[in-house]
Amino acid sequence: QVQVVEFGGGLVQVGGSLRLSCTVSGLTFDNYAMGWFRQAPGKEREGVACVNYIGSTTYVADSVKGRFAISRDNRKKTLYLDLNNLDVEDTALYSCTVVKYRYCSEASPTPVRNSGPGTQVTVSS
């Protein structure tokens, strides 16, 4: 059974930083591209970032480019999302996603194989 679990969300002030982590069990972590979605109340889900199976290529959405960075440590079977210079518009539930294939072609991590329940990021002014 595949389990995807996110960590690291919380309450932060505008301009602050967070690091989100995601661990995966029940599959061979380094066989799959990985990524992050986010969804704010009343808004559509947005693909934030994606990284290929060995971490050599990353894609980041234009809305967060220059502020967010995605990375992975295959030895630790962990995915990361570094969030910097946060704005209130970044408030959302951030979900870790296992992509069906080894490669991403864009920031949206699709097609989705598995997703976690999400971790809440709230940015206050």
Side-chain angles (χ1 to χ4, degrees):
Q1 183 178 357
V2 177
Q3 287 193 317
V4 181
V5 183
E6 302 94 340
F7 304 91
L11 176 64
V12 63
Q13 290 188 326
V14 168
S17 298
L18 283 173
R19 165 169 266 201
L20 307 183
S21 302
C22 169
T23 60
V24 183
S25 60
L27 53 70
T28 304
F29 182 78
D30 56 6
N31 272 355
Y32 301 94
M34 298 286 299
W36 295 90
F37 282 104
R38 69 180 181 181
Q39 187 160 22
K43 294 187 177 181
E44 290 189 1
R45 186 179 68 169
E46 178 186 14
V48 176
C50 194
V51 58
N52 72 358
Y53 73 112
I54 55 173
S56 59
T57 303
T58 63
Y59 299 88
V60 179
D62 288 344
S63 59
V64 302
K65 196 164 291 183
R67 300 188 299 120
F68 291 11
I70 188 170
S71 61
R72 65 191 294 163
D73 185 335
N74 284 350
R75 292 172 300 174
K76 297 181 179 179
K77 300 182 180 181
T78 302
L79 177 73
Y80 302 101
L81 185 68
D82 290 302
L83 294 69
N84 298 301
N85 194 20
L86 283 160
D87 184 80
V88 292
E89 296 295 319
D90 297 315
T91 295
L93 184 70
Y94 286 72
S95 300
C96 174
T97 297
V98 181
V99 180
K100 282 187 177 180
Y101 308 123
R102 289 188 168 189
Y103 296 95
C104 311
S105 57
E106 58 180 5
S108 184
T110 57
V112 174
R113 188 186 191 278
N114 304 91
S115 284
T119 185
Q120 178 67 35
V121 173
T122 302
V123 185
S124 67
S125 56

